[in-house]
Amino acid sequence: MATVRVVVNGAPVVMNVEDHELLLDVVRDRLRLTGSKRSCDLQVCGACTVLLDGLAISACTTLAAEIDGRALVTVEGLADGDTLHPVQQAFVDHGATQCGFCTPGMVMSVCALVAETPDADAQEVREYLSGTICRCTGYVKILEAAAEVLARGDDAAKRDE
Amino acid sequence: MSDRLVGQRVARTDAVDKVTGKAVYTTDLTMPGMMHAVLVRSPVPHGMLRSIDVSAAESHPGVVATLVGAEIAHLEPYYGEWVLDQPPLAIGKVRFVGEPVVGIIAETERAALEAAELVELDIDPLPTLATVDEALAACETAIHPDRTSADPDLPNVCYRAQFEHGDVDAAMASAAYVHRAVYRFPGVSHYAMEPHACLAAWGPEGLEMWSGTQQPFKVRADLARIFKVPLSSVRVRVPYVGGGYGGKGQSKYEPVTAALARKAGRPVRLVVPIEDSFRTVRRHAAVIEMATAVDAGGALVARETRVLFDTGAYADKGPRVAKKGAYRATGPYGIPNFRSVGLAVYTNTIPAGAMRGFSTPQVVWAGESAIDEVAEHLGEDPVAFRLARLAQRGDPYLANDTPLDADLRAGLQMAADVVRWDTDVPAGRGRGVAVGVKDGGGGTGSSQAVVRVHADGSVEVLVGTSELGQGARTVFAELAADELRTSLAAVTVRFADTDMVPFDRGTNASRSTVAVGSAVVDAARRAREEIGAAVQVVWGNFEEVALDGATVTAGSQIGSLRTLLATARGVPETEVSAIVAHGSHDVVASDTPLGSSTLFYEVGHGAAEVTVDEETGVVAVVSYASVADVGCALNPVNVEGQDEGATMMGIGHTLFEELEYDGGEPLNTNLFDYRIPRAQDVPDDFHTLLLELADGPGPHGSKGAGEGGIIPVAPAIANAVYQATGVRIRDLPMTPERVWRALRDARSDPNEEK
């Protein structure tokens, strides 16, 4: 058992977690932030991607006890009330979501991409997003959404990272 | 009020829920008092269950109960589509690695997983029939010994279908050239990102089931039959579904979850690990033996096809797949003499069922590869060869069949133009095309819709369609809003809930836009007529009636809907009930080869340009064009997205996807070892074109969409690989190793030792 103090989507949280507890289970079952999804459970598909101190990580293979003192952002923490985060808005505008199960992880991956490599070219975007799988869209509209956010160079897109 | 919504690039009505994480899927659901279930699965591919010891598991802390198949044998436990052969938990024997044998119910998932380790299974092994060849040769071993083989000459045949017309043997005998080849298509996984999941609770009103199913009414019927309860006491509800592609049709884990909840006397949620979703259902692997004959003038005069579909351990939708595969194998060329046999063969592998394209990708892989091989033999250009022979609008697909509702030649030409077919191919590259045609809509079936217009002008659409990501709820909202002349924001499309929505046969066969969409338009039109009737009574005229929020306009008159209805009905404004209108759409039996007329033909054309690395065997798709013949794109963004997704899924089975086995042991049922297309795999030059000739039976001349794109991908790419290398690949997927070996074999001197 460990006590972790984290900032989750801007709000401080103190929790006791078991040594074996995975961050994804804590986020989904205890914090009831079910936007982060479990699919492959092997750090391959990216559906559970969250931002830890601004870096994209897979919550399915991260121990909750390891995040003490850090800042966690999940997909629920991006929008400002009814105003969507620019990456979310680009996904809506470009039709970049279908079944939606990959979408939270994909949105978080694009947020991390924009923060890490704001001048990424098309090939770099594809390489970066190849860590997140989508079975529905064929990626075309996701890549369009990412390209639009990058092209705008919108400061707001980076505000959380 | 506004311009028509359909045809515009309207954002999905669920997009905001999905990008914010608010969309709720079955895997997100909880319920007070809910228990967690874990299934213990067979470690062997085939065997008799001698004994099951659950005593240690039952005494494990947190465990509420266990369940074995023998406890439900007194019910009507077997389910399937045409062949009812699959039990919720193995009864008597096990037939594939991964078959559920024991259910564990515990207070936490962790406790259930720990207890699952304590179950002891004693299984007497039987011979493993891991392949179709082994199953058809195994006269002493029946995977389903209580069932008679559907083929009098072969064992382990689950279903046999045959379509025949003309005199095939005579046409073959007198043909100028007969091309014969065998093509192989792999068993691939749907890999819907949300694993199969159910939540079941028995209460005073019966069974409540939450499931990401594509067929809630079919699941309801199965549950009522299995548990011997009335339909009225089973409620199936479908929240957002994290991908289906056919893999969530039919009953899957609903029967076992309901049985576990009944045993526990508590709500039970089962979320299977993704590895077990891989082991739940897959696409049919297929071996396609095909002979295609041309006469001296180059006319296609006969085709004979035998398709062996590996249907795995249980029938699921395999019989229908075999039937449709046999039907579709002859192809859209008006070939006058054909014989086509489809066998669904049991093996000790993961059950195979519906998957996007439903047998068409398999048989078109063979058929469109063979067309190129025949054109090559005749020295003709593959596009010109097809353009001269493709069936024309109005021609029957097979003899005495529903007339073709598409311009195949126009679509193929569009695809060919994108890859600049008429220009020289750059050195080291190759181009290829293929045409995919599938009878759409799934045969006979009924769809109903209810539209409620409330006194404040808000509108509800009630339909049984599952929202799998295809955007059905968005397009239904658009159709209802247009028909009522109201805004998209005024319309809510309810999630499927068998207690609330009228019957629908299921979300499959690309049928929802045409069948359910037509029912929605019908219901909305009736609702608008009722508003019009009130306008007539109260205002004394009946011009174009429109809703704008709570306001009705008719010509120059404007008033509140509530006041209008209250006045017309002679009731107080506080007691104005909603207008409730029903709409329906039916496809009925007919005297055609399939036994029902085809609702529409789903057509996908593909054109590819590839490079092949002779050193490594890597095939790179440089350019790909997909033409989706959709009649009318009601929501162009969504229909493009469907086609792009279908095409990329096709690139998966063409270049890398395959469920691999060692005997009866599956080897790659996880994402480390099973390769799903990624963003890097999207061709640099990738196009989806929509062919809109308003020639479909759906609203505004629309047709179904979402499957067509996957159909031509493999043969288009293989035909391009042939042009690039001179080597014909007939086995999928075209992995680097397979291509490298084929190139090596073709390039090596046959007299030299390899």
Side-chain angles (χ1 to χ4, degrees), chain B residues 41-47 94-99 123-125 128 664-665:
Chain B
R41 293 166 185 268
S42 174
V44 302
H46 201 192
V94 292
R95 296 178 172 89
F96 70 100
V97 172
E99 177 164 11
I123 300 173
D124 272 347
T128 299
E665 184 78 36

Side-chain angles (χ1 to χ4, degrees), chain B residues 421-437:
Chain B
W421 186 266
D422 291 330
T423 65
D424 291 338
V425 184
R429 295 192 176 188
R431 294 180 188 144
V433 298
V435 178
V437 178

Side-chain angles (χ1 to χ4, degrees), chain A residues 37 39 98-99 126 130 139, chain B residues 18 25 28 193 677-678 682:
Chain A
K37 301 302 185 196
S39 184
Q98 288 188 24
C99 87
R126 283 175 188 226
S130 285
Y139 302 103
Chain B
K18 287 178 173 175
Y25 300 78
D28 300 326
M193 292 193 68
R678 299 163 174 270
V682 179

Side-chain angles (χ1 to χ4, degrees), chain B residues 179 183 290 303 363-375 386 433-434 714-716 718-719 728-730:
Chain B
H179 170 266
Y183 302 87
M290 185 171 274
R303 178 171 268 181
V363 298
V364 169
W365 159 237
E368 286 295 286
S369 294
I371 288 290
D372 254 48
E373 294 190 56
V374 170
R386 287 177 172 82
V433 298
N719 291 339
R728 172 61 57 182
I729 310 282
R730 298 194 184 89

Side-chain angles (χ1 to χ4, degrees), chain B residues 190-385:
Chain B
H190 302 76
Y191 182 59
M193 292 193 68
E194 185 187 29
H196 293 86
C198 306
L199 170 57
W202 293 85
E205 294 190 320
L207 170 61
E208 185 154 2
M209 172 67 63
W210 296 81
S211 170
T213 179
Q214 296 178 233
Q215 289 186 282
F217 285 92
K218 166 68 171 149
V219 166
R220 182 182 68 162
D222 283 349
L223 293 171
R225 181 179 49 76
I226 290 168
F227 294 98
K228 303 179 182 179
V229 296
L231 288 172
S232 59
S233 70
V234 180
R235 180 178 191 182
V236 179
R237 304 172 73 172
V238 187
Y240 281 116
V241 184
Y245 325 111
K248 292 172 183 171
Q250 274 298 306
S251 287
K252 290 290 185 284
Y253 291 101
E254 295 86 355
V256 71
T257 310
L260 292 166
R262 209 170 70 136
K263 175 86 183 274
R266 310 271 288 272
V268 168
R269 190 181 77 182
L270 172 69
V271 177
V272 310
I274 202 76
E275 177 164 14
D276 291 330
S277 260
F278 272 96
R279 300 195 295 181
T280 301
V281 64
R282 61 172 169 83
R283 192 194 283 283
H284 287 76
V287 179
I288 306 106
E289 303 161 1
M290 185 171 274
T292 307
V294 288
D295 67 12
L300 290 160
V301 291
R303 178 171 268 181
E304 181 165 18
T305 313
R306 182 174 184 249
V307 194
L308 303 177
F309 287 105
D310 178 351
T311 208
Y314 293 103
D316 197 287
K317 294 205 182 205
R320 192 192 279 268
V321 167
K323 178 182 173 184
K324 291 297 183 82
Y327 168 80
R328 293 165 182 161
T330 302
Y333 294 94
I335 298 175
N337 304 287
F338 58 84
R339 180 161 55 234
S340 190
V341 173
L343 299 180
V345 182
Y346 285 124
T347 60
N348 292 120
T349 63
I350 299 163
M355 184 170 173
R356 200 175 210 161
F358 203 82
S359 78
T360 326
Q362 292 98 315
V363 298
V364 169
W365 159 237
E368 286 295 286
S369 294
I371 288 290
D372 254 48
E373 294 190 56
V374 170
E376 158 88 7
H377 178 83
L378 299 180
E380 290 193 37
D381 173 80
V383 171
F385 182 89

Side-chain angles (χ1 to χ4, degrees), chain B residues 443-448 503 511 515 518-519 583-589 597 599:
Chain B
T444 54
S446 179
S447 294
Q448 295 169 23
F503 182 84
R511 64 188 296 283
S518 295
S584 64
H585 181 277
D586 293 303
V587 178
V588 297
S597 54
L599 186 52

Side-chain angles (χ1 to χ4, degrees), chain B residues 124-167:
Chain B
D124 272 347
L126 291 166
T128 299
L129 309 179
T131 65
V132 163
D133 286 347
E134 289 172 13
L136 293 179
C139 294
E140 275 83 52
T141 305
I143 292 173
H144 290 270
D146 47 335
R147 294 185 51 79
T148 306
S149 180
D151 189 303
D153 303 320
L154 296 165
N156 291 306
V157 177
C158 170
Y159 188 84
R160 182 183 194 283
Q162 181 164 338
F163 292 87
E164 185 165 6
H165 187 76
D167 189 337

Side-chain angles (χ1 to χ4, degrees), chain A residues 20 28 32 37 39 45 75 84 88 97-101 126-127 130 133 135-141, chain B residues 12 18-19 25 27-28 189-191 193 245 274 468-469 640-642 644-645 657 677-678 680 682 686:
Chain A
H20 59 75
R28 283 179 54 80
R32 290 304 294 160
K37 301 302 185 196
S39 184
C45 77
V75 72
L84 296 180
Q88 293 173 314
T97 180
Q98 288 188 24
C99 87
F101 207 76
R126 283 175 188 226
E127 284 172 20
S130 285
I133 284 174
R135 189 58 151 167
C136 290
T137 64
Y139 302 103
V140 175
K141 298 195 187 311
Chain B
R12 304 175 63 100
K18 287 178 173 175
V19 300
Y25 300 78
T27 41
D28 300 326
S189 177
H190 302 76
Y191 182 59
M193 292 193 68
Y245 325 111
I274 202 76
L468 310 171
E640 284 165 14
Q642 280 287 295
E644 288 156 2
E657 288 186 49
R678 299 163 174 270
Q680 279 175 296
V682 179
F686 186 58

